């Protein structure tokens, strides 16, 4: 809890018993808080009855050159701190969700040779609005403010302008300064606009000249985190400026086409374009179906391969050439297919039909075979031969 600093203005006849450090004992408390903010001090706890006290409470907006948002001269002031406030002791023009309390206390005690103490807290106490009520900063666990605490908000984006706002000036950090900077064409482009207003409308470049710009939020402070910046890239898309991170990446035609097969005898295939995302000017389709070491070609949206039987394993490939606005996109795809009894399916998706143990037939007829599997009657010395499934070498 912050103590009020001592500034002593005393008369020339200061007595030793007057060295009572009242100023260091003064504390500010928040009595009640909602939209109403009720403040008090603890002065009545230690001042003698003969002392008189004068108060000067001023609430200031640190983001607006410390212009006053509230003023009162009573011991327990009430401030209705909301936007568009109409009470006498509040200036709604400088309402903010973070306000600094500046308090001056004038203490006069006639029993101490009319000694006068002028106590001032150096504006070191802070009020902040948490969305529900006002709080004194020392009553809350301090939240570390970093560059990540700064936000940039964009609205009303048109081809010619964008409305921007930031919280960088209302974080309660000492001596904040701020600027919006616009770079045409990206980071390597030219700085063409700068504005130090927190809430402002920024003119945008012509999309006939550039299709990209970068908008940066710069903030500098007299305390940690000292200097921060963040930048967002905008791109011209579908007739307006859009955050590049929000633009859906191009979806290629190849990703949206597939094919179908017919379950009849033979092998019928066709290109399925029902999900295509673009509107091509023209398309050319080339098919290839391979089985048993032979390949067959087809062309067009549909193809029939009468050579293919349902007992075959087929490698099916297509090449699709798509023209749109003078741009060619080539789509190539291959699958291995088998017939599962009712449909042509991907080989990797087929169901297992059966599992059988492999049976080895051992032949013990004492016949002799050479290493090429030919039956022989005589084996020369030094020659390897096979008998009853085993290898031998004749040595004599």
């Amino acid at each position: 809890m912050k103590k009020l600093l001592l500034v002593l203005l005393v008369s020339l006849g200061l007595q030793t018993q007057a060295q009572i450090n009242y100023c260091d004992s003064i504390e500010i408390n928040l009595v009640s808080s909602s939209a109403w903010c009720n403040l008090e001090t603890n002065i009545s706890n230690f001042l003698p009855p003969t002392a008189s006290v004068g108060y000067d409470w001023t609430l200031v907006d640190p983001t607006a050159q410390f212009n006053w948002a509230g003023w009162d001269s009573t011991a327990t002031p009430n401030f209705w701190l909301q936007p568009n406030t109409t009470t006498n002791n509040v200036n709604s023009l400088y309402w903010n969700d973070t306000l600094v309390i500046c308090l001056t206390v004038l203490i006069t005690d006639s029993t101490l040779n009319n000694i006068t103490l002028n106590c001032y807290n150096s504006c070191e106490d802070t009020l902040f609005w948490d969305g529900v009520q006002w709080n004194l900063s020392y009553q809350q666990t301090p939240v570390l403010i970093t560059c990540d605490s700064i936000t940039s908000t964009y609205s009303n984006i048109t081809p010619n302008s964008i409305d921007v706002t930031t919280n960088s000036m209302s974080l309660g950090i000492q001596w904040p300064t701020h600027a919006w900077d616009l770079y045409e064409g990206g980071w390597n482009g030219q700085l063409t606009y700068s504005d130090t207003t927190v809430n402002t409308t920024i003119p945008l470049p012509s999309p006939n000249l550039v299709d990209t710009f970068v908008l940066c939020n710069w903030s500098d402070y007299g305390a940690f985190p000292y200097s921060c910046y963040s930048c967002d890239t905008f791109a011209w898309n579908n007739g307006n400026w859009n955050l590049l991170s929000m633009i859906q990446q191009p979806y290629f035609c190849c990703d949206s086409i597939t094919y179908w097969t017919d379950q009849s005898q033979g092998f019928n295939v066709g290109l399925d374009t029902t999900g295509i995302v673009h509107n091509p000017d023209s398309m050319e389709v080339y098919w290839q179906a391979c089985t048993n070491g032979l390949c067959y070609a087809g062309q067009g949206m549909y193809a029939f391969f009468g050579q293919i039987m349902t007992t075959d394993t087929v490698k099916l490939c297509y090449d699709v050439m798509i023209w749109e606005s003078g741009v060619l996109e080539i789509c190539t795809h291959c699958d291995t297919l088998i017939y599962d009894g009712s449909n042509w399916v991907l080989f990797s998706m087929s169901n297992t039909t059966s599992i059988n143990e492999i049976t080895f037939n051992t032949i013990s007829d004492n016949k002799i075979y050479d290493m090429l599997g030919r039956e022989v009657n005589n084996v020369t010395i030094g020659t390897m031969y096979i008998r009853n499934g085993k290898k031998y070498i004749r040595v004599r």
Side-chain angles (χ1 to χ4, degrees):
M1 186 179 295
K2 297 182 176 66
K3 305 293 184 179
L4 293 175
L5 300 178
L6 174 61
V7 180
L8 296 178
L9 299 176
V10 299
S11 61
L12 293 177
L14 181 63
Q15 301 293 325
T16 301
Q17 69 265 28
Q19 304 295 324
I20 300 174
N21 201 346
Y22 290 130
C23 291
D24 286 345
S25 302
I26 299 175
E27 299 174 354
I28 296 175
N29 297 307
L30 189 60
V31 180
S32 62
S33 175
S34 57
W36 281 102
C37 181
N38 183 206
L39 299 171
E40 69 173 9
T41 68
N42 64 338
I43 292 177
S44 60
N45 296 339
F46 54 81
L47 279 186
T50 55
S52 61
V53 183
Y55 298 88
D56 187 318
W57 299 86
T58 306
L59 306 182
V60 298
D61 181 357
T63 69
Q65 289 74 48
F66 281 78
N67 283 289
W68 72 276
W71 179 86
D72 203 286
S73 61
T74 63
T76 57
N78 270 307
F79 299 98
W80 177 256
L81 297 174
Q82 289 288 283
N84 303 317
T85 298
T86 57
T87 54
N88 293 330
N89 64 345
V90 172
N91 180 4
S92 61
L93 181 62
Y94 295 106
W95 181 91
N96 205 329
D97 57 7
T98 302
L99 297 172
V100 173
I101 305 172
C102 301
L103 173 62
T104 299
V105 178
L106 195 65
I107 305 173
T108 302
D109 191 347
S110 58
T111 63
L112 300 177
N113 296 327
N114 291 317
I115 206 167
T116 297
L117 303 179
N118 187 359
C119 307
Y120 178 56
N121 75 331
S122 296
C123 302
E124 291 184 351
D125 293 274
T126 303
L127 284 169
F128 68 91
W129 178 255
D130 64 6
V132 178
Q133 63 182 10
W134 289 95
N135 302 271
L136 272 172
S137 58
Y138 71 79
Q139 294 175 334
Q140 302 291 320
T141 303
V143 177
L144 179 63
I145 298 175
T146 66
C147 291
D148 292 335
S149 305
I150 300 173
T151 60
S152 299
T153 304
Y154 309 113
S155 61
N156 299 326
I157 304 175
T158 72
N160 301 315
S161 65
I162 180 174
D163 291 345
V164 294
T165 184
T166 179
N167 66 341
S168 65
M169 299 288 283
S170 59
L171 296 175
I173 309 176
Q174 295 178 2
W175 318 120
T177 58
H178 168 266
W180 297 100
D181 289 340
L182 188 148
Y183 298 84
E184 290 187 9
W187 278 105
N188 295 326
Q190 181 181 3
L191 174 63
T192 57
Y193 187 84
S194 185
D195 194 324
T196 59
T197 310
V198 173
N199 308 313
T200 189
T201 299
I202 295 178
L204 300 181
S206 170
N208 296 324
L209 301 177
V210 294
D211 59 5
T212 306
F213 69 84
V214 172
L215 187 58
C216 294
N217 181 353
W218 300 85
S219 302
D220 289 301
Y221 304 98
F224 183 85
Y226 298 107
S227 184
C228 302
Y229 74 93
S230 62
C231 298
D232 288 305
T233 300
F234 289 77
W236 183 257
N237 183 62
N238 293 329
N240 203 0
W241 293 105
N242 297 268
L243 271 170
L244 186 61
S245 59
M246 301 296 292
I247 298 176
Q248 184 177 2
Q249 295 303 309
Y251 189 79
F252 298 104
C253 285
C254 295
D255 299 326
S256 58
I257 60 176
T258 182
Y259 65 91
W260 52 263
T261 59
D262 194 327
Q263 285 72 50
S264 62
Q265 184 65 27
F267 192 56
N268 287 282
V269 294
L271 198 69
D272 183 357
T273 60
T274 55
I276 199 165
V277 295
H278 294 172
N279 185 24
D281 299 322
S282 63
M283 298 175 62
E284 291 186 18
V285 185
Y286 299 90
W287 301 91
Q288 186 180 66
C290 299
T291 184
N292 299 322
L294 297 174
C295 292
Y296 309 97
Q299 183 176 354
M301 295 295 290
Y302 314 99
F304 172 71
F305 300 93
Q307 307 90 336
I308 304 296
M309 308 297 292
T310 54
T311 55
D312 292 333
T313 298
V314 182
K315 182 178 181 181
L316 177 67
C317 299
Y318 65 73
D319 293 300
V320 181
M321 290 183 284
I322 303 172
W323 279 270
E324 182 180 6
S325 301
V327 178
L328 172 64
E329 184 177 351
I330 300 177
C331 311
T332 300
H333 184 79
C334 291
D335 283 323
T336 300
L337 306 175
I338 64 171
Y339 193 74
D340 68 355
S342 57
N343 298 287
W344 288 98
V345 297
L346 289 174
F347 180 69
S348 60
M349 297 175 59
S350 61
N351 295 322
T352 302
T353 56
S354 65
I355 299 177
N356 298 309
E357 294 287 344
I358 298 177
T359 302
F360 293 95
N361 295 321
T362 303
I363 300 176
S364 300
D365 56 5
N366 288 321
K367 291 184 178 181
I368 299 173
Y369 300 90
D370 63 16
M371 298 307 297
L372 297 178
R374 297 172 297 187
E375 186 177 355
V376 296
N377 294 320
N378 297 308
V379 179
T380 58
I381 295 175
T383 301
M384 181 178 290
Y385 63 94
I386 300 172
R387 175 184 288 176
N388 297 331
K390 295 182 179 180
K391 296 178 182 178
Y392 299 90
I393 297 178
R394 184 179 176 181
V395 295
R396 62 180 180 176

